[in-house]
Amino acid sequence: MSRLRTLLLFAALAGLAIVFAACGGSDSGSSDESPEAVLKGSTFEGIESADLDLSVNVDVSGDEGGNVDASVSGPFQSKGGDQLPELDLNAEAKGSVGGKDVDFDGGIVLVPNKAYVSYEGEDYEVDPTTFSFVQSAIEEAQQKSGAEGGTEGATKCQEEAAGKFSAEDFVDNLTNEGSADVGGTETTKVSGDLDISGAIDAVLEVAESEACRAQLAAAGPLPAKSEIEDAKSEVNDAVKSAHVDIDVGDDNIVRGIDAQLAIEPKNGGSGPKSVEIDLDLKLTDVNEEQKISAPENAKPLSKLFLKLGVNPIELLGLLQGEGGGESLGELFEGLGASQLR
């Protein structure tokens, strides 16, 4: 595995570890409590709706280096039961990697019984047949993961994660920074230094648990354990700093995570010399009614297929798990690769 791929894999694991680090039990916290008590009570559970704002910057110096700014933003709200949520999310990625430009701008809108995608500033309506296939594929993935009604498996996985993760166990030098405003909500800010190795071990333990393994596999192929162990081995001593700020509301719900990581590989030679990662997650208007509406004047999805050179019949076959060709995940990887010019 190339050093760049190793470092990017580690970056993804570190980001996941940071997010999980904010999940704890159900104790209450306040601005005058110890930072350990505030984090122990922090959780993402109970979020039915919110306006999401997630941004990640990855800066790699040296050979094969580059800089990428990525973001996902927009409102979402659960419809309960086994219904798909409503959402209006936009994703952007800009920068360069290994001398190749990265420029992606797309999004998805889900409203009852309809879906729309956007790409390079144009909106496209998913036709009823394709929407039905996609919905069926999601329901099938949920059933394969052991989820009754589409929710039980996810709930068990959340409970498993909450039992494995206790942020105060792998966040050192904790400090209660006092009150902080996040989108009009008063929170308690806790800062500390993340024990990356311990956090990744906890992530792996959860990922391999019976409750979460099928859930995660349904979302896409997971890296081999050997790859993750190799990445850990290479960067375990290379982390120069890993700082995280977590904003927790009076209701114990995490409203914000701001993290910075600096990684410097120890072995010399060619390849990346350092990686700096900035992650900023904000959740505002939590559990409030979100305004989500279908875009106007959307074009037929078939026009997007033509633009991307995608055969819709093959795509529907992939959604049904038919054929012996590339997987749906590999197809999307190919589309993403087309943005590297």
Side-chain angles (χ1 to χ4, degrees), residues 62-333:
D63 295 342
E64 302 181 68
N67 181 281
V68 175
D69 283 305
S71 66
V72 178
S73 61
F76 66 89
Q77 58 187 8
S78 170
K79 300 301 291 181
D82 57 357
Q83 299 183 66
L84 294 177
E86 291 187 13
L87 53 82
D88 184 356
L89 298 180
N90 186 70
E92 294 184 7
K94 296 185 182 299
S96 64
V97 176
K100 297 181 179 180
D101 291 337
V102 177
D103 188 359
F104 175 84
D105 181 5
I108 181 170
V109 175
L110 287 180
V111 293
N113 301 315
K114 288 189 176 182
Y116 301 82
V117 295
S118 64
Y119 184 71
E120 295 184 343
E122 296 285 352
D123 295 314
Y124 302 87
E125 181 176 1
V126 179
D127 59 273
T129 300
T130 304
F131 180 80
S132 177
F133 275 114
V134 172
Q135 188 173 30
S136 297
I138 293 173
E139 291 173 352
E140 183 180 352
Q142 290 174 332
Q143 291 171 359
K144 287 182 178 179
S145 68
E148 296 181 5
T151 59
E152 184 181 341
T155 299
K156 288 182 178 179
C157 182
Q158 289 175 350
E159 292 174 352
E160 182 78 16
K164 299 290 185 183
F165 281 91
S166 185
E168 68 272 20
D169 292 340
F170 43 80
V171 181
D172 303 322
N173 305 318
L174 286 171
T175 303
N176 186 333
E177 304 288 356
S179 298
D181 181 273
V182 178
T185 298
E186 184 174 336
T187 68
T188 300
K189 183 183 294 292
V190 173
S191 66
D193 299 321
L194 190 64
D195 176 2
I196 292 292
S197 181
I200 291 178
D201 285 339
V203 170
L204 290 175
E205 189 174 355
V206 169
E208 293 175 351
S209 70
E210 183 178 352
C212 294
R213 185 169 55 247
Q215 285 280 323
L216 295 173
L222 299 173
K225 186 174 181 179
S226 59
E227 286 187 313
I228 297 173
E229 291 297 338
D230 287 344
K232 264 190 58 184
S233 176
E234 182 169 342
V235 302
N236 190 43
D237 296 327
V239 177
K240 306 302 290 184
S241 63
H243 185 80
V244 61
D245 295 324
I246 302 174
D247 298 302
V248 184
D250 291 339
D251 54 6
N252 304 318
I253 293 177
V254 174
R255 297 308 207 284
I257 299 176
D258 187 7
Q260 303 85 39
L261 292 90
I263 307 165
E264 293 183 7
K266 297 298 182 182
N267 47 333
S270 62
K273 302 299 183 182
S274 67
V275 178
E276 293 185 358
I277 305 165
D278 288 334
L279 179 149
D280 187 14
L281 168 68
K282 293 290 185 292
L283 292 170
T284 58
D285 298 331
V286 172
N287 293 335
E288 296 182 11
E289 186 73 18
Q290 304 297 319
K291 295 180 179 179
I292 300 172
S293 58
E296 298 180 355
N297 303 318
K299 298 178 180 180
L301 185 63
S302 57
K303 291 187 177 295
L304 177 59
F305 287 154
L306 288 173
K307 182 176 182 177
L308 295 176
V310 174
N311 185 327
I313 297 177
E314 292 181 358
L315 177 60
L316 294 179
L318 290 170
L319 288 170
Q320 291 181 300
E322 298 175 352
E326 62 182 349
S327 68
L328 183 59
E330 290 172 334
L331 172 64
F332 288 138
E333 282 183 10

